[in-house]
């Protein structure tokens, strides 16, 4: 595929012009069959490896030409969204744990051109014969340092042993991997290192120490009120070290009517997806999360990082803080510590932030999220949803926010002041001739 053929598709992603990293990746694909790309989170790596893949693809012919492997379910879903927008004319299938296996088998019955998968789920389909890898020439490993960790390495070795005809490789990550497993069998990869090209990230961060009182939860709440102008907070992630702590912090904030979402590894897949969607669409601008959210997620526009607990390792500290001050943006980081708590040796700060005790921001959102019980598999489109909400719900098109389509449901951001009445009003309405259940999250 030539550059002029796919550039119009970039507009679907809000991209008018590709950046230097993406151009270099495109150029490298013309000269090399093996590319290792290292670049900071948020710099556009998904587009940077999708464009070379499109250059390498043959016309769609009912064969699996390319496989993209990512270490987490959320990352697979996000990559699939980008690839579907860019790879018009090609069938794309996403395979991951927590996804309905029957749906995956059905979608594989018509052979996709591109598969995006987690290692375990891909290997399962390969073993069952649901995926024929014999025609696969292109293999992409996103977050390859994570995919090649000890917990995944055995699966990855088995996958590589089955991809005998793969001849073009792209490995991407935000951090460099010192050694690569021998089973990768890369000969002379072209290395593109953009890890320093985002400018001095630390200079765009302001890191404050916040001394807390005995009740750390109350201190957190007052900090959030202090850093918020008006009643609607900027996007902020509150990082904790343990799942139980995440639940306790989120429950406390919700009890105080704070618009927040909870994210940790023990939640069901749909709960995790809902949390990230509500955070991204602004209906829950505060996310309480374990370090599972520190990498591998497409989370944009984060203004504040709050370490409710100090990170346990320097790497974790780097990844947490990297959720803000992305590309050219700035970000504020707050390290909550008790009166006698020492800072970890790898934590540096720019000073102490004094909480304003009289701050009274309500920490609510002007958006709410509605779940519709139909999605991509029911042939529902974003246009269908906009038309339904405007015609049957009386909303203006510009009142409808982000729409996220999944296989069997859709999440839509709507004005918070109208959300409850909208759900009641549409209880008996039909979308594309069928009544669907609407729930206010």
């Amino acid at each position: 595929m030539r550059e002029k053929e796919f550039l119009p598709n970039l507009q679907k992603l809000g991209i008018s012009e590709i950046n230097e990293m993406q151009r270099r990746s495109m150029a490298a694909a013309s000269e090399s069959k093996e590319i290792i790309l290292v670049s900071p989170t948020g710099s556009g790596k998904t587009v940077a490896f999708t464009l070379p893949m499109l250059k390498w693809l043959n016309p769609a012919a009912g064969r699996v030409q390319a496989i993209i492997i990512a270490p987490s379910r959320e990352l697979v879903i996000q990559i699939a969204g980008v690839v579907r927008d860019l790879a018009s004319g090609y069938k794309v299938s996403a395979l991951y744990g927590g996804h309905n296996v029957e749906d995956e088998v059905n979608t594989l019955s018509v052979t996709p051109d591109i598969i995006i998968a987690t290692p375990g789920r891909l290997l399962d389909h390969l073993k069952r014969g649901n995926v024929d890898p014999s025609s696969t020439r292109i293999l992409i490993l996103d977050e390859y340092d994570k995919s090649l960790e000890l917990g995944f390495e055995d699966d990855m070795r088995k996958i590589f042993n089955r991809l005998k005809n793969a001849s073009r490789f792209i490995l991407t990550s935000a951090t460099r991997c010192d050694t690569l497993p021998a089973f990768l069998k890369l000969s002379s990869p072209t290395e593109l290192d953009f890890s320093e090209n985002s400018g001095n990230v630390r200079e765009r961060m302001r890191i404050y120490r916040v001394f807390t009182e005995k009740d750390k939860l109350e201190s957190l709440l007052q900090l959030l009120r202090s850093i918020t102008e008006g009643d609607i907070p900027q996007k902020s992630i509150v990082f904790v070290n343990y799942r139980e702590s995440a639940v306790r912090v989120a429950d406390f904030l919700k009890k105080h009517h704070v618009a927040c979402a909870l994210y940790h590894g023990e939640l069901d897949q749909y709960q995790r997806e809902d949390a990230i969607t509500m955070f991204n669409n602004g209906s829950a601008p505060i996310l309480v999360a374990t370090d599972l959210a520190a990498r591998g997620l497409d989370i944009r526009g984060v203004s504040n990082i709050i370490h409710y607990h100090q990170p346990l390792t320097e790497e974790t500290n780097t990844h947490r803080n990297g959720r803000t001050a992305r590309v050219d943006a700035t970000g504020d980081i707050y390290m909550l510590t008790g009166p006698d708590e020492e800072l970890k040796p790898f934590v540096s700060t720019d000073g102490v932030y004094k909480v304003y005790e009289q701050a009274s921001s309500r920490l609510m959102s002007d958006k709410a999220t509605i779940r519709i019980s139909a999605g991509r598999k029911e042939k529902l489109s974003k246009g269908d949803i906009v038309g339904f909400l405007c015609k049957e719900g009386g909303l203006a098109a510009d009142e409808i926010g982000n729409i996220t389509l999944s296989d069997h449901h859709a999440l839509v951001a709507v004005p918070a002041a109208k959300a409850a009445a909208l759900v009641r009003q549409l209880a008996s309405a039909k979308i594309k001739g069928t009544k669907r259940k609407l729930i206010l999250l």
Side-chain angles (χ1 to χ4, degrees), residues 172-219:
T172 80
S173 181
T175 53
R176 178 173 294 280
C177 191
D178 293 333
T179 59
L180 297 175
F183 64 77
L184 286 180
K185 297 180 180 177
L186 299 185
S187 55
S188 54
T190 297
E191 297 192 26
L192 304 177
D193 189 347
F194 285 83
S195 56
E196 302 300 327
N197 282 31
S198 61
N200 191 331
V201 177
R202 179 63 180 87
E203 289 182 358
R204 302 200 306 274
M205 295 176 177
R206 292 166 296 192
I207 305 178
Y208 302 104
R209 184 174 188 176
V210 181
F211 289 102
T212 65
E213 302 300 327
K214 290 183 179 179
D215 191 334
K216 201 169 189 178
L217 287 170
E218 286 288 352
S219 296

Side-chain angles (χ1 to χ4, degrees), residues 30-297:
S30 300
E31 303 169 358
S32 175
K33 296 182 178 181
E34 301 171 347
I35 300 170
I36 295 178
L37 172 62
V38 180
S39 188
T41 300
S43 57
K45 286 196 298 296
T46 303
V47 172
F49 66 67
T50 301
L51 297 182
M53 178 189 72
L54 293 175
K55 287 189 70 170
W56 289 340
L57 285 174
N58 292 322
R63 301 189 304 271
V64 179
Q65 297 190 54
I67 293 177
I68 302 170
I69 299 175
S72 71
R73 306 166 183 177
E74 289 82 0
L75 195 50
V76 166
I77 294 167
Q78 289 159 19
I79 293 170
V82 173
V83 173
R84 285 190 177 107
D85 281 341
L86 290 178
S88 56
Y90 293 96
K91 183 182 178 187
V92 179
S93 292
L95 314 174
Y96 52 91
H99 197 204
N100 187 294
V101 176
E102 186 177 343
D103 280 347
E104 292 187 351
V105 173
N106 288 338
T107 193
L108 291 170
S109 65
V110 179
T111 304
D113 303 283
I114 303 165
I115 287 176
I116 302 143
T118 52
R121 183 54 66 92
L122 174 61
L123 183 59
D124 183 61
H125 282 295
L126 288 169
K127 288 179 176 177
R128 293 171 185 267
N130 298 329
V131 173
D132 178 5
S134 61
S135 57
T136 303
R137 298 180 304 111
I138 304 165
L139 183 61
I140 298 172
L141 304 185
D142 192 27
E143 299 282 357
Y144 75 90
D145 57 328
K146 188 75 173 176
S147 295
L148 297 175
E149 282 182 351
L150 190 59
F152 288 113
E153 189 169 347
D154 190 47
D155 283 352
M156 293 297 295
R157 181 183 294 104
K158 292 174 181 176
I159 290 169
F160 264 76
N161 288 340
R162 291 169 181 264
L163 297 175
K164 299 185 182 300
N165 294 318
S167 58
R168 296 177 183 269
F169 303 92
I170 302 177
L171 279 62
T172 80
S173 181
T175 53
R176 178 173 294 280
C177 191
D178 293 333
T179 59
L180 297 175
F183 64 77
L184 286 180
K185 297 180 180 177
L186 299 185
S187 55
S188 54
T190 297
E191 297 192 26
L192 304 177
D193 189 347
F194 285 83
S195 56
E196 302 300 327
N197 282 31
S198 61
N200 191 331
V201 177
R202 179 63 180 87
E203 289 182 358
R204 302 200 306 274
M205 295 176 177
R206 292 166 296 192
I207 305 178
Y208 302 104
R209 184 174 188 176
V210 181
F211 289 102
T212 65
E213 302 300 327
K214 290 183 179 179
D215 191 334
K216 201 169 189 178
L217 287 170
E218 286 288 352
S219 296
L220 170 65
L221 178 61
Q222 207 54 38
L223 170 64
L224 287 167
R225 288 172 173 163
S226 294
I227 63 178
T228 300
E229 294 182 9
D231 288 329
I232 301 174
Q234 297 173 311
K235 283 186 183 177
S236 304
I237 303 179
V238 180
F239 278 111
V240 300
N241 288 344
Y242 310 104
R243 175 180 61 83
E244 296 80 4
S245 302
V247 173
R248 185 173 67 254
V249 171
D251 285 348
F252 174 84
L253 293 178
K254 289 176 182 177
K255 181 181 176 181
H256 287 79
H257 309 292
V258 176
C260 71
L262 172 66
Y263 186 89
H264 61 74
E266 295 301 314
L267 294 173
D268 290 337
Q269 179 64 24
Y270 80 89
Q271 293 175 308
R272 287 158 59 179
E273 292 174 19
D274 285 357
I276 298 303
T277 297
M278 293 171 67
F279 182 63
N280 276 332
N281 71 20
S283 59
I286 295 170
L287 183 69
V288 180
T290 60
D291 288 324
L292 185 65
R295 61 183 294 176
L297 293 176

Side-chain angles (χ1 to χ4, degrees), residues 370-373 384-395 400 412 414-415 418-432 434-440:
I370 291 175
R371 176 195 291 274
I372 301 174
S373 64
D384 295 328
I385 293 170
V386 171
F388 171 68
L389 293 176
C390 292
K391 182 179 179 181
E392 303 294 338
L395 292 183
I400 301 169
V412 190
V414 298
K418 298 182 179 182
L422 192 66
V423 170
R424 291 193 298 270
Q425 179 182 341
L426 297 175
S428 300
K430 293 182 178 180
I431 180 168
K432 294 191 76 172
T434 304
K435 281 203 298 186
R436 302 293 183 183
K437 188 174 183 179
L438 273 69
I439 300 173
L440 177 59

